Each structure stands twice: as structure tokens, then as C-alpha cells.
Amino acid sequence: TAFSTLLLSTALLLASLTTAAPIGTPHSTVIPLTTKTFDSLVTTDSANTLWLLKFYAPWCGHCVALSPILDQAASHLAGKLSIGKIDCTIEKKICKGKFDVRGYPTLKYYRDGEFSDYPLGRDLDSIVSFGEKMSQSAVKVVKDVARVYEILVGGANGAVAYVVYDPKEETEEEEESGIDKSGATEDEKEATKLLQSTERTRVFGQVARKYQAQGSFGLLSPSIDKANIAKVLGVGETNKIPDAGFIARIEEDVPTKFLTGDVINTEAFAE
């Protein structure tokens, strides 16, 4: 009948509205992903470059319980973190073939061409904190060395952070650059310029971005007096600050560990 045809057309329209995800627009809802849409939405959309992915099965109780949490997080993190879901009872090429998913729900995140295991809790606060952190600069500029532990460690027991200091680093005054034209905050622009100024800071910035989900990273401003750095980091005659600069592992109430050399072993950051 005409009425049943209308109902069917309406149902198909609603289905297309709930599953369609426009490319080039930040997402504010959880996006269903399929074999056909996965690459175009996750790996090539410049408007959505950071993703949290939920691999699930409809019969999984923990997956069902996680759904409203992800719905809230997607709305809160619109423009910062996109959230997608993959039904592994249907999309077996993705779940088994691409990711070898072995349990539900499995959470992974995507950024910079790499997929990694999501490292934090599955509650709303943890997911929102993760999205906020990962959408910000991986390296914080520390202008007051007395606050380095407060800024990077935050008083958490056992928390570890890494800091870089290079007396040669500087923010060169140039005609308006791509950094200046970006939509970043002034602090983020300053951090980017400092990180690009020397080989040591460039390597540090790359490593910080790679391990941002697992750690905390800071750049000590070159304007900080070296004697103050030594005092705050608790170094002395047997553990001097290298004259040429350094990357250091810091932890409250634990001796500072300096990582020196022209080529930094990135595996040291994963310890």
C-alpha cells in the first residue's frame, strides 16, 4: 500500500541519516564504521585526525554498557577526538583481518598514521581526559622551573615526565610564518617554534608526540637560569647538568636521569 511504502521510505531515510558521516566535518556523535567507509573516514579525513575506535559485538554486555559513555564523550569532544564503532559480527575483515581483535570491547586510537591500544579507563572522565590531552600540544613550555613537577607530574605518585633543555633554542623572529598563521594559541605557537629550533628539541618533540598517551613532556625555556634548573632538579657535583643541554627523566623524590648524546634512543622514553 501507499502507507507501507511511505513507512519503508521513511525508515530508509532515517537509517541513512544515522549512518552517514560527512567527510571534512568534525564529528559529534559515535560514527558506525564499515569496511567500505573505514579508510576514508578514519585515515584520510583531515577534519578528523584523532580517533578512538570501539570494536564490539552486539551481544557483549560490557560493550552495551560502554555505548552511552561514548555517546556523551563524542558530544563533549567534538572537534578534538572522533569516536567510531565497528560491529565485529559484521565487519570481520576489519576486526580479524586488520586488527586481530580477540575480545570485546577492544579500544584503540588512531593518529599520525598509527593505530595503538587505548591506555586509560573506560569511564567518561578518563575518555574525556584522554581526548583533551591528545588534542593539545604534546610538549608544554615550562617558564618557571620551580613549577616543573606541578605542571608535568601533577603530584601523582610514581608519575614520570621528560623535559628537554637546550641553551641554543630560540624563537626566531621572521616574517609571518605558517606557525603564526595557524589557529593555535600563542603558547602552542611558542612551543612549536622552540621545538623546531634545534636538533635535540626537534627529536624530543617527535618522541613526545609518539608517546603522548603514555607520558608527560615539557620544554624548559632557554631563559631559565641554569643554576635554578640544577637546584630544582636536585643535581650536584656527581650529577651535573650537561653544558650542551639535555633531555631528562624526572620523578618526584627520585634522582634526575639525564639522557645525553646527539642521537636520542627513543626506546628510553618507553621505559
Side-chain angles (χ1 to χ4, degrees):
T1 66
F3 181 69
S4 61
T5 301
L6 176 62
L7 284 178
L8 178 59
S9 298
T10 303
L12 291 173
L13 175 61
L14 289 174
S16 66
L17 289 174
T18 55
T19 58
I23 294 175
T25 302
H27 304 308
S28 58
T29 60
V30 177
I31 305 300
L33 298 168
T34 67
T35 302
K36 291 182 178 180
T37 64
F38 189 90
D39 286 336
S40 62
L41 289 174
V42 176
T43 64
T44 61
D45 185 359
S46 60
N48 298 278
T49 58
L50 173 63
W51 283 82
L52 178 65
L53 304 171
K54 169 192 171 185
F55 298 84
Y56 75 99
W59 46 259
C60 164
H62 291 298
C63 302
V64 173
L66 185 59
S67 291
I69 294 173
L70 293 182
D71 288 338
Q72 293 180 65
S75 176
H76 186 89
L77 294 168
K80 298 178 179 178
L81 171 73
S82 299
I83 300 179
K85 62 180 180 180
I86 303 95
D87 184 345
C88 290
T89 63
I90 299 174
E91 307 301 337
K92 295 180 181 179
K93 280 189 177 180
I94 299 176
C95 297
K96 289 296 183 184
K98 189 177 182 71
F99 293 102
D100 192 25
V101 173
R102 296 171 181 244
Y104 308 118
T106 289
L107 295 179
K108 294 182 178 291
Y109 70 92
Y110 170 85
R111 188 174 71 174
D112 296 343
E114 295 186 357
F115 295 91
S116 304
D117 292 333
Y118 168 73
L120 302 181
R122 296 177 180 179
D123 57 287
L124 181 60
D125 287 344
S126 295
I127 293 170
V128 169
S129 294
F130 175 81
E132 296 282 3
K133 177 182 180 181
M134 296 295 287
S135 65
Q136 297 171 1
S137 172
V139 180
K140 297 179 180 178
V141 176
V142 180
K143 298 180 180 180
D144 180 0
V145 70
R147 298 186 59 221
V148 66
Y149 290 101
E150 173 192 343
I151 294 171
L152 299 180
V153 179
N157 288 333
V160 173
Y162 292 89
V163 294
V164 63
Y165 173 77
D166 195 323
K168 295 180 290 185
E169 68 195 42
E170 58 182 7
T171 55
E172 296 182 2
E173 294 296 332
E174 304 175 348
E175 293 186 11
E176 195 172 32
S177 65
I179 297 172
D180 293 314
K181 294 177 182 177
S182 71
T185 66
E186 291 305 314
D187 285 345
E188 289 171 339
K189 291 176 184 178
E190 179 186 17
T192 300
K193 290 180 179 180
L194 287 171
L195 286 169
Q196 292 180 359
S197 65
T198 73
E199 181 182 1
R200 178 182 285 107
T201 55
R202 281 193 296 273
V203 172
F204 185 82
Q206 293 165 6
V207 173
R209 186 164 174 85
K210 180 178 178 64
Y211 292 105
Q212 185 176 3
Q214 291 83 19
S216 183
F217 301 84
L219 181 149
L220 299 179
S221 171
S223 63
I224 298 175
D225 183 73
K226 206 170 183 181
N228 287 337
I229 295 176
K231 181 179 179 181
V232 172
L233 297 187
V235 300
E237 290 299 320
T238 59
N239 192 24
K240 291 183 178 180
I241 291 179
D243 291 333
F246 61 84
I247 292 174
R249 181 183 188 274
I250 65 170
E251 181 180 354
E252 288 195 278
D253 302 320
V254 173
T256 299
K257 179 181 179 181
F258 292 105
L259 310 175
T260 57
D262 293 332
V263 179
I264 301 301
N265 179 7
T266 58
E267 292 181 1
F269 292 84
E271 293 178 353

